[in-house]
Amino acid sequence: MAPSFTEIAYRTMQQGRSLAGLVHKELSTKVMEVVAPDVVPKTEPVPSEMMDALRQSLDELHQRDWQDSESGIYPQSLLFDIPWLEWAERYPRVWLDLPSNWARRRARDVKDIPDLANRDLYPDYYLQNFHHQTDGYLSDHSAELYDLQVDILFNGAADAMRRRILPSLQQGLKRFAGRAPGSLRILDVATGTGRTLHQIRAALPHATLVGVDLSEAYLRQANRWLNQSNKPLVQLVQGNAERMPFDDAGFQAITCVFLFHELPADARQAVLQDCYRLLEPGGVLVLADSVQLKDSPQFDVAMDNFRRVFHEPYYRNFISDDIDQRLKDAGFSDVQAESHFMTRVWTATKNSSPQHSDSLT
């Protein structure tokens, strides 16, 4: 069957986004080589076979994204729901931000963050310039550029990667099919600017959505994305994912996207244990993050280059970590995982134990 006009439009748009990301990275690298050659990261050449595998994997991601929208898992309009005008306005600021990025690289300064009156709210590992970005995660400037920077990094595939959580999320919520949709509560951990919640709301418009994040600035940006329209409000809460400010068993689903590679190992385990605490028995956790060496050894050079180019102090440990076992250690069962392009998605369930609960009453 010939592709529809909408499918052609989607694929053309994704090809354009991919090209734009590649061109930006190529140009910015060339400029760095001329203006700040002493801070150019030493990366390994990517073999042609790996480049071919990456292109094929990206094509498969887009194919899966299209098929899931066509089957109704999420509306096709979501594929085109991109803040083009805001990104166009912010794009020059990405370039203007590069000199300070290079200066931090030259000085090996990864603690160049704003003065904080409430510094005790943040764990030490959080107070640094992840990705070498200005202000870390602690300013409106950083929050306003983040989504565009991530989209460039992944050659326009960031939203398609985030959407890989939606089929597992919907499948996990089928355990609560007898309940009114509005009674289902979904928590997005480390919600950042709210792009993941934006995807979830399109797929599950009647669910009650909550987002938690450490950054007040990123929550302000999320509020602008999510709560400045006539769509259902999303509750946004500042809090540490290792111990979130919510009651036990209050959510039927929890999502977490692109957080774990920025956590030290003990914090990863603490977050999983708190997610288990917050889920109602039978609830589902859907976690998405970078692929790892075990499941995607063909991309080992790409993973190592990512660590070399960006300040990601816990990434090397993460790509060798056993997340399946961590989920089981936290109490989860039915652990499953699959990889899509540079993202791996884990799904796990909190055991239902009504007989145990009855014995306690």
Side-chain angles (χ1 to χ4, degrees):
M1 181 182 297
S4 66
F5 174 80
T6 306
E7 182 178 359
I8 293 172
Y10 168 69
R11 293 188 179 279
T12 301
M13 180 190 71
Q14 289 302 120
Q15 289 171 0
R17 292 172 75 181
S18 180
L19 179 61
L22 289 169
V23 168
H24 174 90
K25 285 183 282 190
E26 183 71 19
L27 286 176
S28 60
T29 299
K30 295 288 187 187
V31 172
M32 190 192 322
E33 289 171 347
V34 173
V35 176
D38 56 318
V39 301
V40 175
K42 296 179 180 179
T43 58
E44 294 295 325
V46 177
S48 58
E49 298 85 357
M50 184 181 298
M51 288 300 301
D52 291 341
L54 284 166
R55 292 189 193 98
Q56 180 180 348
S57 182
L58 181 58
D59 288 344
E60 290 170 354
L61 170 69
H62 291 153
Q63 177 66 19
R64 181 72 177 271
D65 195 28
W66 170 258
Q67 289 174 344
D68 282 350
S69 71
E70 195 173 37
S71 65
I73 293 176
Y74 40 86
Q76 289 186 355
S77 60
L78 189 60
L79 305 181
F80 302 92
D81 194 354
I82 301 164
W84 294 114
L85 292 178
E86 291 196 38
W87 282 4
E89 180 272 327
R90 296 174 186 186
Y91 180 65
R93 295 162 59 191
V94 173
W95 282 96
L96 293 172
D97 199 51
L98 289 178
S100 63
N101 180 298
W102 300 335
R104 279 188 295 277
R105 290 173 185 264
R106 183 176 293 111
R108 297 177 182 266
D109 184 1
V110 297
K111 299 285 188 179
D112 179 24
I113 59 173
D115 292 332
L116 300 169
N118 54 350
R119 193 181 183 92
D120 291 343
L121 290 177
Y122 306 98
D124 287 341
Y125 64 77
Y126 189 79
L127 298 174
Q128 54 184 309
N129 303 92
F130 289 96
H131 322 142
H132 295 290
Q133 68 193 57
T134 300
D135 301 329
Y137 290 126
L138 295 164
S139 75
D140 292 315
H141 170 82
S142 171
E144 288 168 358
L145 297 185
Y146 177 79
D147 285 323
L148 176 56
Q149 291 171 324
V150 171
D151 204 65
I152 292 170
L153 170 64
F154 290 115
N155 297 339
D159 278 340
M161 291 161 65
R162 290 184 183 101
R163 284 192 287 270
R164 290 303 86 225
I165 70 168
L166 297 179
S168 297
L169 179 60
Q170 289 198 339
Q171 183 65 33
L173 285 172
K174 287 183 178 179
R175 300 184 184 93
F176 305 100
R179 300 188 188 181
S183 70
L184 298 179
R185 301 183 75 231
I186 302 171
L187 172 66
D188 187 43
V189 176
T191 199
T193 63
R195 287 299 291 175
T196 298
L197 281 171
H198 178 75
Q199 313 290 317
I200 295 171
R201 182 165 61 183
L204 297 160
H206 302 294
T208 298
L209 304 183
V210 182
V212 63
D213 199 276
L214 260 175
S215 173
E216 185 178 352
Y218 275 64
L219 289 172
R220 280 195 293 270
Q221 179 63 58
N223 188 58
R224 287 191 286 271
W225 284 135
L226 296 168
N227 291 333
Q228 303 300 316
S229 68
N230 58 358
K231 295 180 180 179
L233 291 175
V234 175
Q235 181 184 0
L236 300 169
V237 179
Q238 186 175 21
N240 188 334
E242 295 179 67
R243 184 65 183 180
M244 291 174 272
F246 306 109
D247 293 336
D248 296 359
F251 296 93
Q252 288 70 51
I254 295 176
T255 58
C256 183
V257 177
F258 301 157
L259 168 67
F260 272 44
H261 72 280
E262 293 189 342
L263 297 178
D266 57 347
R268 285 178 218 137
Q269 194 64 46
V271 172
L272 289 177
Q273 290 172 187
D274 210 42
C275 288
Y276 189 86
R277 174 184 70 85
L278 295 179
L279 278 173
E280 177 182 335
V284 62
L285 170 67
V286 186
L287 167 69
D289 214 294
S290 168
V291 292
Q292 298 182 292
L293 291 171
K294 182 178 180 180
D295 60 83
S296 301
Q298 72 275 24
F299 298 148
D300 58 347
V301 174
M303 284 184 258
D304 191 54
N305 282 346
F306 176 74
R307 176 188 63 82
R308 292 169 182 264
V309 172
F310 299 98
H311 175 59
E312 290 285 4
Y314 311 111
Y315 186 74
R316 177 182 283 181
N317 176 272
F318 171 80
I319 60 176
S320 299
D321 201 4
D322 190 341
I323 301 301
D324 294 50
Q325 188 58 53
R326 288 195 180 280
L327 286 160
K328 294 171 185 176
D329 290 346
F332 288 99
S333 62
D334 300 326
V335 177
Q336 302 176 47
E338 56 183 20
S339 297
H340 306 276
F341 186 43
M342 298 306 292
T343 297
R344 188 156 179 83
V345 178
W346 288 265
T347 306
T349 304
K350 180 172 181 176
N351 285 327
S352 299
S353 52
Q355 294 170 332
H356 176 70
S357 297
D358 290 344
S359 67
L360 296 178
T361 58

